[in-house]
Amino acid sequence: MFTRTGLLAIATAAVVLALVFIRIPLLGDAEGYAAEVLSPIEKTLGGSFGVFSGVATTLTRAAELRTENERLRAEVESLRSASVRIQELEHQNGELVAELNYQKEHPEQRLLPANVIAREPTDLIHAITIDKGNRDGVAVGMTVVTPAGLVGRVLKCGPLSAKVLLVTDSKSSVSGLVVIGRAQGMIYGRRQRQLTMRYIDQLDKIEVGQWVVTSSMGGGFPPGIPVGKIVFVRQRDVEPFQEATLEPAVDLAKLETVQVVTSFLPAQVP
Amino acid sequence: MSPYLGLPLLVFLAGLQGWLAQTLSPTTNLRPELLLLAAVACGLLGGYRAGLVWGALAGLLFDLGSAGPLGAGLICMAAVGCLSGLGQAGGPRFNRLLPLQAAALATIVYDLLYMLLLQLSGWGFNLIVAIYEVALPSALLSLVLMPAVYGPVYWLWHRARPGREASR
C-alpha cells in the first residue's frame, strides 16, 4: 500500500511531531540555545525593519513635516521678537516709573520729558541734542535731569530741538554741596567722563563715597539734585583748598531720555 | 566735483558721523571725523580752492550738528581743506600714501585749530592732555578711515567734474 519513500516520510513526520509535542528535555535545551543564537539576529532584523519602516513613514510625511517645521520656525521667530519687545517695554516702563517717582518727590518742579536724538560729533565737546525746543517751552539755561541726577543745562535752543551741555563738559560749572558735612565747592567737567569739585574749604571734612548735590549758590541750578559721588579726595596742607574727583550720578554715555526742568530758570546764564 | 553729487555726499557723511557718535558713545570717546576727511580728499583732488570751498561746506554741516560755536567748524575745515590742496602740487608724481598722511596730519591740525577757537569761546582745555587723548587717537582713526572716504570722493570727482561734459 505504501511505497518505501512514503513510509519514510510518514516516519519522519511522526518523529518531528513527537519532538514538538512530547518535548524531550534534551530538545528543550537545544531550543534554548537556538533562541540565544537567534534572538540578537531577530532583534537586529526587527530594528532594521523598524528603521526602514520609520524612513518610509518619514518619506510619506515629508511634506507635512516641512510645513510643520516652517510653522514652528515662524513661531520661534515671532516669540523671539515678542521677547525683545517685552524687554524693551520693561526697560521703558522702568524709566517711566522712575520719572514718575522723581516727579512725585519733586512736586515743585515742572518737568518736560525729552528723548536724546543725537550726540556731539566731536569728543572735544560733551553735549547731546534733545527732541524738545522753544515750541515746547524749553529755553537756554534750563536744567536737564534724569531720575538719577543732573545731566546738564540747555546751551542752544531751536524751535524743535535743543542742545544740552553735559555736566562733564569742560565748559560746565555747577555749584555743589556735599550732603554729609555741607562742604561747598564748584564742580567742573573734565575729560574721561568725570567731574572735579574745587574750592572746598580745608577745614571741611569730606570722604570718598559721599554724595554731592547742586547748591542754591549762584542760582544756576535748582538745589538738591544729585551730581555725583566722591571717588577721590586730594588734600594738601600747602594748598588753600581741597579738591575732589566725582563720578557723575548719571551714566551720561547711555542717556536715552531726560527731563527738562521748565519751572526753573537760572539767575544768570553764563 | 558737481555740487549735485558733492552736497548729498557731505550730508550723508554728516548723518553717518552723527550716527557713529551716537553708536560709539557708550563704548569709546573716539569720534570719526568723516566730514574733515571729505574736505581733505577734495583738497587733494581739486587743489586749494576746492579744498577751501568743500571744507567750508563740510564745516558748516558740522557746526549745524554741534553744540560748539557756529562758524568754528567752518573756519577750521576750510583752512585744513585749503592746506590739503597743497598736496596736489605733487601732480603726476602723486604718492598713493599721500591721502593717508594728509588725513592724519590734517586731523591733528584741525583739532588744534578747533581747540583754539573753543578756548576763545569759553571752553577750557589742558592742551597737552587734549592732544594726547583726542588729537592723536583721532589722527590714527582718520588714517584708517581715509580710504573709505577718499575712494567715493575720488570716484565722484572723476565721474562728474563740472565742465567735463563741456570740454568734450
Side-chain angles (χ1 to χ4, degrees):
Chain A
M1 188 176 156
F2 295 106
T3 59
R4 192 175 175 183
T5 312
L7 282 172
L8 192 61
I10 290 166
T12 307
V15 169
V16 168
L17 284 172
L19 284 172
V20 171
F21 289 109
I22 297 168
R23 288 188 167 274
I24 299 167
L26 184 65
L27 198 65
D29 290 344
E31 272 181 341
Y33 290 129
E36 286 286 324
V37 173
L38 290 175
S39 64
I41 299 167
E42 281 172 358
K43 275 183 188 170
T44 309
L45 286 173
S48 303
F49 281 126
V51 169
F52 285 125
S53 167
V55 168
T57 311
T58 305
L59 285 173
T60 52
R61 290 186 59 206
E64 187 189 332
L65 288 172
R66 196 177 295 121
T67 314
E68 192 177 344
N69 189 26
E70 280 169 9
R71 186 181 59 78
L72 289 171
R73 273 177 194 278
E75 206 167 307
V76 166
E77 288 299 317
S78 166
L79 287 172
R80 193 176 292 156
S81 169
S83 165
V84 172
R85 267 204 312 277
I86 287 167
Q87 281 175 20
E88 178 61 19
L89 285 172
E90 272 179 2
H91 174 73
Q92 283 179 6
N93 187 45
E95 281 191 343
L96 289 171
V97 167
E99 285 174 10
L100 198 64
N101 288 339
Y102 184 83
Q103 178 71 83
K104 279 181 188 166
E105 286 165 13
H106 300 83
E108 76 285 358
Q109 293 179 359
R110 277 202 312 276
L111 301 171
L112 177 71
N115 294 313
V116 177
I117 53 171
R119 281 184 182 274
E120 185 62 25
T122 172
D123 188 33
L124 292 168
I125 300 170
H126 291 184
I128 54 170
T129 307
I130 57 171
D131 64 348
K132 296 286 188 292
N134 284 335
R135 287 187 189 173
D136 306 289
V138 178
V140 172
M142 280 182 173
T143 305
V144 180
V145 296
T146 70
L150 184 69
V151 171
R153 64 183 165 84
V154 177
L155 183 70
K156 290 179 179 177
C157 195
L160 298 171
S161 65
K163 296 205 183 295
V164 177
L165 191 73
L166 298 180
V167 73
T168 51
D169 187 85
S170 62
K171 198 181 183 181
S172 165
S173 60
V174 181
S175 181
L177 181 75
V178 181
V179 176
I180 299 168
R182 314 308 284 172
Q184 294 206 343
M186 286 300 292
I187 303 163
Y188 296 97
R190 55 183 271 189
R191 294 202 48 73
Q192 303 300 342
R193 294 164 179 169
Q194 281 190 325
L195 307 164
T196 304
M197 187 170 179
R198 291 180 189 150
Y199 311 121
I200 306 167
D201 197 297
Q202 283 282 18
L203 297 173
D204 288 325
K205 189 163 172 55
I206 54 170
E207 287 175 8
V208 170
Q210 289 179 331
W211 278 92
V212 179
V213 297
T214 53
S215 150
S216 55
M217 289 283 284
F221 294 89
I225 300 172
V227 180
K229 194 164 67 173
I230 297 175
V231 291
F232 179 73
V233 177
R234 190 177 127 170
Q235 194 271 329
R236 289 182 185 171
D237 292 339
V238 292
E239 289 175 352
F241 298 104
Q242 298 180 76
E243 197 175 288
T245 302
L246 312 184
E247 190 181 273
V250 181
D251 187 356
L252 299 166
K254 294 176 182 169
L255 280 177
E256 288 178 22
T257 57
V258 294
Q259 290 168 305
V260 185
V261 183
T262 53
S263 56
F264 182 90
L265 267 173
Q268 270 188 329
V269 180
Chain B
M1 181 164 57
S2 163
Y4 299 111
L5 294 172
L7 278 175
L9 177 71
L10 288 184
V11 171
F12 170 74
L13 288 177
L16 186 62
Q17 189 167 327
W19 179 78
L20 285 171
Q22 178 91 330
T23 310
L24 293 175
S25 175
T27 49
T28 175
N29 289 337
L30 271 179
R31 301 281 184 271
E33 307 269 14
L34 300 179
L35 286 169
L36 172 71
L37 295 181
V40 171
C42 290
L44 289 173
L45 290 164
Y48 68 94
R49 281 185 185 169
L52 185 76
V53 172
W54 288 108
L57 286 170
L60 183 65
L61 283 173
F62 174 85
D63 282 337
L64 291 175
S66 168
L70 188 68
L74 187 149
I75 293 168
C76 296
M77 282 200 204
V80 171
C82 186
L83 286 173
S84 305
L86 300 174
Q88 203 204 21
R93 295 177 67 188
F94 187 82
N95 183 353
R96 282 181 185 276
L97 291 177
L98 185 63
L100 303 183
Q101 297 161 351
L105 191 63
T107 306
I108 293 171
V109 172
Y110 167 79
D111 280 340
L112 288 173
L113 276 175
Y114 196 66
M115 273 188 259
L116 181 70
L117 291 182
L118 287 181
Q119 289 265 18
L120 294 173
S121 307
W123 269 267
F125 295 105
N126 181 333
L127 198 65
I128 302 297
V129 174
I131 290 172
Y132 178 71
E133 289 183 354
V134 179
L136 290 178
S138 289
L140 281 175
L141 188 63
S142 295
L143 195 77
V144 174
L145 292 176
M146 186 55 167
V149 176
Y150 189 78
V153 174
Y154 182 91
W155 185 80
L156 284 176
W157 198 275
H158 290 93
R159 180 101 183 152
R161 250 183 324 198
R164 189 186 184 204
E165 287 77 14
S167 65
R168 280 182 178 175

